[in-house]
Amino acid sequence: MKIFRLAFILMAAFACTPDNTGPSSILYESDHFSVYKDKVVQGNMEAIAVNPRHITSNYKSPASQTYSRFISFKFSLNEKDNELPVGVNHNLVINGPGESPVYVFGEKDAGTASNPGTYLEPNTSYTFRVDLSPVLAQFEQQGYYQAYDGSRIAQNEFKGVFLAGGSEPMTWDFVNLSNQGLEMKDSDGDKIYEITLTLNPYDEASAAAKEWQLKNNINKYPQFSSDQVLVDALYNMSLDETRQNVEADGTFRTGAKWEGVWTRDVSYSILMAYALIEPRIAKTSLLRKVKRDRIIQDTGSGGAWPVSTDRTTWALAAWELYKTTGDRQWLEQAYNIIKNSVADDQKTIVSKTGMMKGESSFLDWREQTYPKWMDNVDIHESENLGTNAVHFQTYTILSEMAQILGQPSEEYDQIAEKIKNGLNGYLWMNNPGYYGQYLYGRNDLTLSPRFEALGEAFTILFDIANERQSKAIMENSPLTPFGVTCIFPQIPNIPPYHNNGIWPFVQAFWNLAAAKAGNEQALEHGLGGLYRAAALFLTNYENFVAETGDFLGTEINSERQLWSVAGNLAMVYKVFFGMDFQADGIQFRPVVPKNYSGNKSLSNIKYRQAILNISLSGYGNEIQSILLDDQELENAFLPGDLTGTHQIEIKLSNKSFDREDINLVTNKFSIPNPQIRLVGNRVEWNPVDGAAEYVVYRNGQKQKTIRQNFVEIRKRNSFDQYKISAVDKNGVESFTSQPIIITDEDAIEKIELERFASPSALPFVNYSGRGFVALTKTSNRALNFEIRVKTSGEYLLDFRYSNGSGPWNTNNKCAIRSLYVNEEYTGSVVMPQRGQNEWSDWSFSNPHLVKLNKGKNKISLQFEPWNENMNVGVNRAMVDYVRLIKK
């Protein structure tokens, strides 16, 4: 009898043991990978959650197995793309160790190399060679080298010759060629520069099976458990990496390879998770990004703000921190900092559309998300979806803060409404049913129809999109097999990073938006993509290649990237348990896809003066019942003034919410944009490979679609601006070409500024007239001059300038001045950095459309308090002349 009873008990126990290999254990399944309750399977590779504190993985990067013998590359002077026209490269088939022919700088290949479709052996040593004689001869003859596009490099500003390319360890990131060790050397003085590289670098040890086991004490954090051990283990791994990302000074580091606090990285991370579980470190980190009671824009093209303008991500984090802590003193401090910051923005970056100008939020690597012809001035003038969503939310937050503090709030509501109207009026596209990427193009801007994942997610999360739009975004947005890409379609001939890349923190925000919009398929796809990568890679990498799903192959990557870690945690806090923090409490909106059904618990949640322990059962996005200490919790809202320890029990309705579709697509690339030129009365361009037709834009508006590679200019206005895009057979449109202005010669006037101020004695070259004027914080703080015009009307006014205070891609010394026309403030003149110590590299500032009177007009370029840049100490530019174009 006892034996029978024991056998019965054992049979019952086995019957109740979850089957982690059957259909019921599948969380997400696709042709590319599958996620189970306890493992991830991708081909013959798998990661297994042994228990909630241990994961093993035999993932092996396929990158070294598919490294092509066909190599495309260019040479570069001063880390700029200045050897050959855009899209024209040197091509070479490498069959093994050796050296290249001697290329002559600036000369195109005589023949055409074809791709053999075979792969190069790992760790192949190869030497690249280039003859720099033509450059050195021009230095000797005229003191500068003039590139194919007319740009010049002064002999005394020559820094070296570099190798750029698309095969590792080469990179197309021209501004970082020196940092990547890609400078070429002439060791014997024969004017032949060389560099030897190890192509297809491969470390055998990286292919070995690996594991993650919990290293740090994570008991102080909320403790999570569920019926999906994989999710539990990834949550604990993320807490483990959180501990590793805390510095000795009480701040967050940005990732394993990135020390220090970065404004947008830490802000998005705090918004997703760390306001709740690390409020003290979150506060310390945020205050590290404040100077002069203003938010620091610590990164961005051309010298940070106001080229990059998403520093207001700080406001989102600061508000979330107030909502989780209820700290009134912090609210007052944060309100003052945000208010001061946006006051400068209002003087500097407001567009006539009601939106804000500036670079895409986090997509701050110029050619990764912008056409190559756009310089940092163009990026400053663009109006981006994600950045404007952040600005909208900032003003919404300011209004709420002001109301709590008894301060006027109407102005902030009005600004927020203008931004929202601008986004819906200028960027929303009924077909395909989501927002466009940005307005761009100089003077008369055009909408880029590319999809931008972070911005789309924000429009849903911040209530910029209405319910109909939110559902359309989730149903129509392109989702690739391994997740949502930063942009879509991808840009051709640009290596993976933001382009052709998937970023887990963006995926996390997308998942939050999918949960809010009620699209179960989108959420399951997004959770699958997030959990696949973290499990197989055994860390929360910053990014991975969209096409392969591999962490190798992007331009830069790092383990335990802070916002990737936070994104993983947010799936528990803000999706499954649906904790929506408000100024006066927590609104619970749990969302659990059916495949993630079961029992979940989250304990030891430190919320203000309370400790919460929550149990959650079932699936769906409707609450069947919610109890606080065995009593019904009205409206699923937990008051913020609760104290002590409390039990919350949530039961979901077990109703699926899978009625909406998603748009699963293969990853796609657009074709290159045309390179146009004016020949007589025609705008011409070379045919673009893959183009079925071309779109003609005049003054920002689409005029017509044509098949030939030219357009006749039959009727000319006094001012016209043309640009052309290429469309492939599937209807995918390229970026537009660089615009060209068509106007009468006498409509353009140059006013030499050395006529109105003492010319500088600095030894820079390539200027116009008799010299140039230096603008610093101590000299020429007000540059006053007069302009005489024959007819009143609208004119485009800009300044030819140089700024060698820093590199193209980073630093914080963008020069800023205020423009006054006939004593009225017109806006800010923005003069971004153009290369470290490259003061002889001249270009034009942002243009201003001004109204001038017939005869004399007073113009003043002044340094005002709101013109302080992020460096504060150095705010310097050389100005050559004013360019005036009659419209």
Side-chain angles (χ1 to χ4, degrees):
M1 187 67 176
K2 291 181 180 178
I3 295 174
F4 174 79
R5 182 174 295 172
L6 178 60
F8 178 82
I9 292 171
L10 288 172
M11 289 171 63
F14 282 119
C16 294
T17 301
D19 177 7
N20 288 331
T21 59
S24 63
S25 73
I26 294 176
L27 302 180
Y28 178 77
E29 188 173 32
S30 74
D31 293 338
H32 293 79
F33 66 93
S34 296
V35 181
Y36 297 86
K37 290 182 179 180
D38 66 341
K39 64 183 177 181
V40 173
V41 178
Q42 181 178 320
N44 60 0
M45 297 177 288
E46 67 177 14
I48 299 174
V50 179
N51 60 53
R53 299 189 170 203
H54 186 193
I55 308 172
T56 63
S57 174
N58 66 350
Y59 182 83
K60 180 179 178 181
S61 169
S64 65
Q65 302 167 25
T66 56
Y67 191 105
S68 177
R69 295 182 184 276
F70 184 77
I71 308 293
S72 292
F73 60 96
K74 279 183 179 179
F75 303 104
S76 162
L77 302 180
N78 286 16
E79 299 180 273
K80 294 184 177 180
D81 188 0
N82 51 14
E83 186 204 7
L84 299 168
V86 173
V88 179
N89 303 321
H90 301 295
N91 296 308
L92 185 65
V93 175
I94 298 178
N95 292 311
E99 61 183 18
S100 75
V102 176
Y103 293 87
V104 177
F105 189 94
E107 290 188 6
K108 298 179 183 179
D109 292 356
T112 302
S114 58
N115 190 339
T118 55
Y119 304 117
L120 187 65
E121 293 75 15
N123 300 320
T124 297
S125 178
Y126 199 82
T127 300
F128 293 85
R129 303 183 294 169
V130 62
D131 182 356
L132 211 62
S133 296
V135 176
L136 301 176
Q138 286 197 36
F139 282 159
E140 186 68 26
Q141 295 163 10
Q142 57 197 27
Y144 60 84
Y145 172 77
Q146 182 162 311
Y148 72 91
D149 59 357
S151 63
R152 295 176 177 178
I153 292 179
Q155 182 177 14
N156 62 355
E157 294 177 0
F158 173 60
K159 300 173 186 174
V161 58
F162 301 84
L163 179 67
S167 301
E168 194 179 2
M170 290 184 285
T171 174
W172 289 118
D173 178 20
F174 283 88
V175 295
N176 278 310
L177 295 176
S178 178
N179 293 337
Q180 297 297 319
L182 293 169
E183 183 175 2
M184 306 179 75
K185 297 292 186 181
D186 176 10
S187 57
D188 55 8
D190 63 353
K191 302 179 183 179
I192 307 297
Y193 285 70
E194 300 181 348
I195 187 171
T196 300
L197 301 178
T198 299
L199 302 178
N200 195 11
Y202 176 68
D203 178 10
E204 183 67 33
S206 66
K210 299 183 182 66
E211 63 180 2
W212 164 79
Q213 293 193 72
L214 183 65
K215 304 177 185 68
N216 295 285
N217 187 337
I218 59 172
N219 291 336
K220 74 169 187 174
Y221 296 124
Q223 301 296 296
F224 171 67
S225 66
S226 73
D227 292 342
Q228 296 87 36
V229 65
L230 177 73
V231 179
D232 299 357
L234 292 175
Y235 174 83
N236 288 333
M237 185 181 78
S238 298
L239 292 181
D240 198 25
E241 295 194 324
T242 294
R243 288 295 306 273
Q244 292 176 273
N245 281 336
V246 175
E247 300 279 39
D249 65 355
T251 62
F252 285 117
R253 70 180 290 123
T254 304
K257 295 181 181 177
W258 306 111
E259 62 183 13
V261 182
W262 292 7
T263 302
R264 74 169 67 94
D265 298 57
V266 79
S267 296
Y268 285 143
S269 302
I270 291 168
L271 177 61
M272 286 189 284
Y274 293 130
L276 175 64
I277 70 169
E278 282 287 11
R280 181 181 58 81
I281 294 173
K283 180 179 177 181
T284 303
S285 298
L286 287 175
L287 289 176
R288 191 64 58 87
K289 308 313 296 181
V290 175
K291 181 188 288 188
R292 301 186 306 115
D293 274 342
R294 287 162 172 80
I295 306 164
I296 297 171
Q297 182 83 41
D298 56 7
T299 184
S301 300
W305 188 86
V307 177
S308 281
T309 61
D310 69 338
R311 60 179 175 161
T312 45
T313 53
W314 192 97
L316 280 58
W319 179 235
E320 189 76 2
L321 185 58
Y322 169 70
K323 291 188 293 182
T324 59
T325 63
D327 184 342
R328 174 89 179 196
Q329 185 177 359
W330 168 250
L331 180 69
E332 293 172 352
Q333 184 179 14
Y335 172 75
N336 186 57
I337 292 166
I338 300 165
K339 183 180 69 171
N340 292 339
S341 302
V342 302
D344 291 347
D345 284 350
Q346 284 295 305
K347 287 285 191 179
T348 309
I349 63 172
V350 178
S351 165
K352 63 183 179 182
T353 64
M355 296 189 290
M356 303 294 164
K357 302 176 182 180
E359 191 165 37
S360 305
S361 183
F362 111 89
L363 302 173
D364 61 346
W365 191 329
R366 193 165 53 95
E367 63 269 22
Q368 282 283 331
T369 46
Y370 292 91
K372 276 202 164 188
W373 57 262
M374 284 182 70
D375 65 15
N376 292 323
V377 168
D378 298 318
I379 292 174
H380 160 76
E381 287 289 289
S382 67
E383 301 172 37
N384 170 258
L385 174 65
T387 299
N388 272 282
V390 168
H391 283 294
F392 166 83
Q393 189 69 351
T394 296
Y395 287 100
T396 301
I397 287 167
L398 261 180
S399 175
E400 293 189 60
M401 286 180 162
Q403 291 174 53
I404 294 171
L405 296 171
Q407 299 294 320
S409 62
E410 295 81 2
E411 178 188 2
Y412 302 130
D413 289 328
Q414 291 168 4
I415 295 171
E417 190 66 18
K418 287 180 181 178
I419 297 171
K420 181 176 181 178
N421 291 340
L423 287 166
N424 285 314
Y426 290 94
L427 269 62
W428 175 257
M429 302 180 295
N430 285 319
N431 184 13
Y434 49 79
Y435 293 90
Q437 180 183 19
Y438 46 60
L439 300 179
Y440 73 117
R442 292 185 191 162
N443 304 321
D444 300 302
L445 305 185
T446 303
L447 176 62
S448 167
R450 270 185 167 82
F451 163 85
E452 186 218 294
L454 185 63
E456 307 286 351
F458 282 168
T459 63
I460 295 173
L461 294 171
F462 302 157
D463 293 322
I464 295 165
N466 60 33
E467 185 177 355
R468 175 188 61 82
Q469 289 172 310
S470 296
K471 290 185 179 300
I473 291 168
M474 279 295 148
E475 288 191 339
N476 297 314
S477 295
L479 303 180
T480 62
F482 292 105
V484 63
T485 54
C486 295
I487 61 170
F488 190 94
Q490 313 308 323
I491 305 170
N493 305 315
I494 298 297
Y497 187 60
H498 297 139
N499 185 61
N500 194 20
I502 295 172
W503 288 54
F505 98 89
V506 175
Q507 183 71 69
F509 276 119
W510 181 260
N511 294 352
L512 291 170
K516 181 175 180 179
N519 191 310
E520 188 170 11
Q521 289 191 62
L523 181 55
E524 286 187 340
H525 173 267
L527 288 169
L530 198 69
Y531 290 151
R532 177 205 72 91
L536 288 174
F537 305 156
L538 297 173
T539 185
N540 291 284
Y541 266 110
E542 183 169 35
N543 51 62
F544 52 88
V545 180
E547 284 188 297
T548 64
D550 187 23
F551 66 87
L552 285 181
T554 64
E555 289 285 78
I556 304 173
N557 210 348
S558 175
E559 304 91 331
R560 69 169 198 273
Q561 196 71 13
L562 187 70
W563 49 16
S564 301
V565 178
N568 207 317
L569 296 172
M571 299 304 94
V572 171
Y573 306 144
K574 298 200 169 189
V575 175
F576 297 148
F577 286 86
M579 290 189 286
D580 182 1
F581 297 99
Q582 308 288 326
D584 54 352
I586 305 175
Q587 182 70 59
F588 285 95
R589 296 187 174 95
V591 180
V592 178
K594 185 175 182 179
N595 288 346
Y596 290 80
S597 178
N599 296 313
K600 296 175 177 62
S601 70
L602 190 64
S603 61
N604 193 37
I605 306 165
K606 299 178 179 72
Y607 169 67
R608 298 191 179 183
Q609 301 303 311
I611 296 177
L612 308 178
N613 301 306
I614 309 173
S615 66
L616 173 68
S617 63
Y619 65 89
N621 61 356
E622 297 177 9
I623 295 175
Q624 178 178 304
S625 66
I626 180 168
L627 303 177
L628 172 64
D629 300 329
D630 297 324
Q631 301 295 315
E632 183 179 350
L633 184 61
E634 187 176 357
N635 298 321
F637 185 81
L638 184 77
D641 58 359
L642 212 62
T643 61
T645 301
H646 298 273
Q647 310 297 319
I648 299 171
E649 182 181 351
I650 306 172
K651 292 183 179 179
L652 298 179
S653 64
N654 289 335
K655 295 178 183 177
S656 186
F657 53 104
D658 62 352
R659 293 178 295 277
E660 279 78 28
D661 294 326
I662 58 174
N663 181 24
L664 276 174
V665 299
T666 56
N667 197 27
K668 291 186 176 69
F669 289 77
S670 67
I671 54 179
N673 58 266
Q675 308 292 316
I676 65 175
R677 56 192 176 273
L678 183 63
V679 181
N681 286 323
R682 299 205 317 185
V683 175
E684 298 180 352
W685 57 95
N686 294 332
V688 176
D689 288 345
E693 57 189 19
Y694 303 94
V695 181
V696 179
Y697 293 89
R698 187 179 69 148
N699 300 331
Q701 301 299 312
K702 182 177 179 179
Q703 295 295 299
K704 57 184 175 181
T705 300
I706 60 176
R707 292 187 177 276
Q708 70 270 20
N709 60 315
F710 64 89
V711 59
E712 299 279 358
I713 311 298
R714 292 189 175 90
K715 182 181 179 181
R716 286 175 54 167
N717 298 322
S718 58
F719 176 98
D720 278 319
Q721 180 176 268
Y722 278 84
K723 51 188 180 180
I724 311 294
S725 67
V727 182
D728 69 17
K729 63 181 181 180
N730 297 313
V732 177
E733 186 176 3
S734 74
F735 284 129
T736 68
S737 65
Q738 182 171 350
I740 59 172
I741 292 175
I742 301 174
T743 189
D744 297 329
E745 285 188 16
D746 59 5
I748 302 177
E749 184 179 357
K750 288 196 309 185
I751 298 97
E752 296 287 352
L753 289 171
E754 66 271 19
R755 291 166 43 197
F756 305 96
S758 299
S760 172
L762 292 165
F764 309 145
V765 298
N766 298 334
Y767 54 83
S768 171
R770 296 182 296 105
F772 54 89
V773 176
L775 303 180
T776 71
K777 293 185 69 174
T778 57
S779 62
N780 295 310
R781 286 178 64 95
L783 180 59
N784 303 311
F785 55 96
E786 294 180 354
I787 291 177
R788 293 179 177 270
V789 295
K790 296 177 181 178
T791 58
S792 61
E794 290 186 329
Y795 291 78
L796 282 173
L797 184 154
D798 57 15
F799 293 81
R800 189 172 190 249
Y801 82 97
S802 72
N803 181 351
S805 298
W808 270 81
N809 62 322
T810 185
N811 215 301
N812 58 7
K813 298 170 187 170
C814 180
I816 313 163
R817 295 297 184 272
S818 291
L819 179 66
Y820 292 84
V821 177
N822 293 323
E823 300 182 349
E824 288 190 9
Y825 178 67
T826 301
S828 288
V829 173
V830 177
M831 296 170 281
Q833 301 162 184
R834 294 188 55 80
Q836 185 69 48
N837 295 321
E838 295 183 39
W839 290 99
S840 299
D841 185 345
W842 301 85
S843 188
F844 289 97
S845 72
N846 57 317
H848 285 263
L849 186 63
V850 299
K851 290 183 178 180
L852 298 182
N853 304 318
K854 180 181 178 180
K856 184 172 64 174
N857 294 268
K858 293 182 179 180
I859 311 295
S860 183
L861 193 63
Q862 300 184 21
F863 183 84
E864 298 283 14
W866 58 83
N867 296 144
E868 290 283 11
N869 61 18
M870 295 297 103
N871 183 271
V872 179
V874 177
N875 195 323
R876 181 186 185 205
M878 307 297 131
V879 286
D880 187 10
Y881 61 77
V882 173
R883 180 174 64 173
L884 201 63
I885 305 175
K886 180 73 171 70
K887 286 207 76 175

